[in-house]
Amino acid sequence: MFEETRRTAGRGLMFVFTGQIVALFSFIPFLGLAALIIGAVISLYGLYTLSQATIDYKNAFTLTLVGMVIGILANFFTGGFMSGVLSILKNIISFLVVYYVCTSTGQLLSGMSMAQAYTQAERARTIWMLYAVCMAISIVCGLLSYIPIINIMAALVSVVTAVVQLVASILYLIFLWNSQKLLQL
């Protein structure tokens, strides 16, 4: 049973990884929207596959659906209080999805008797903690950006946070790739 759970999780992580990579091509003119939609569908399928493995993955899948609804709602509000609230909610939900994927994968990997699996399990904790710190700083900077003078410092901190978030995102992709390989052994 544990073996099948690991394989299911490995397949799901592979789809999440693939979806994230496809979505990276959203910057290409004319093809960007298609890449974004295709990447989202592949990632969603990967999270659905993961949800068959453990309850924490099911939480990540459900939160992703909630995040999509919030994203659609955010399109109706441009600027103002409600837009800010929806943005904060979306950041929190995105963090929670990463948290559940990392912790669930880390638990599955820690049950394996391989040094690489243990290293990946430890890396999972580092990644979700980086995401948590970046999310908290982003929210605080977003709130402080409305205060004159302080908004300049908040903007500078936001730039540094964006760089750290980029690094964390790259580490997350590497984690997804390595974990799916290990879990499908």
Side-chain angles (χ1 to χ4, degrees):
M1 171 122 171
F2 185 68
E3 192 73 30
E4 184 58 34
T5 299
R6 282 197 342 234
R7 285 201 175 100
T8 300
R11 282 192 308 275
L13 290 172
M14 202 273 289
F15 283 115
V16 171
F17 172 80
T18 304
Q20 298 286 317
I21 294 297
V22 170
L24 286 176
F25 294 99
S26 64
F27 68 90
I28 299 173
F30 304 113
L31 297 176
L33 182 61
L36 190 63
I37 291 169
I38 292 167
V41 168
I42 294 170
S43 288
L44 194 59
Y45 178 73
L47 286 166
Y48 172 76
T49 303
L50 286 170
S51 74
Q52 307 303 307
T54 70
I55 189 71
D56 285 340
Y57 287 133
K58 191 170 289 199
N59 292 338
F61 176 68
T62 303
L63 284 168
T64 299
L65 293 175
V66 170
M68 292 173 105
V69 170
I70 289 173
I72 291 168
L73 285 175
N75 290 329
F76 296 109
F77 300 97
T78 54
F81 177 75
M82 195 60 177
S83 176
V85 169
L86 291 175
S87 176
I88 289 171
L89 280 175
K90 198 159 187 222
N91 281 340
I92 292 170
I93 288 172
S94 294
F95 158 70
L96 287 173
V97 169
V98 170
Y99 170 79
Y100 282 124
V101 169
C102 284
T103 56
S104 296
T105 304
Q107 288 172 355
L108 289 175
L109 289 168
S110 65
M112 298 175 71
S113 60
M114 298 170 59
Q116 295 168 329
Y118 180 76
T119 302
Q120 284 301 111
E122 289 297 313
R123 189 165 292 147
R125 185 171 188 265
T126 302
I127 291 168
W128 75 254
M129 290 179 88
L130 272 172
Y131 268 81
V133 169
C134 289
M135 179 208 51
I137 291 171
S138 292
I139 290 171
V140 170
C141 287
L143 295 172
L144 292 177
S145 69
Y146 293 108
I147 301 171
I149 309 280
I150 294 176
N151 63 352
I152 297 168
M153 179 63 112
L156 293 174
V157 172
S158 291
V159 169
V160 173
T161 303
V163 171
V164 173
Q165 182 66 47
L166 177 64
V167 170
S169 297
I170 292 168
L171 290 174
Y172 181 61
L173 287 172
I174 293 168
F175 169 76
L176 291 174
W177 177 254
N178 290 335
S179 296
Q180 66 88 21
K181 285 193 318 188
L182 288 168
L183 289 171
Q184 292 189 73
L185 288 177

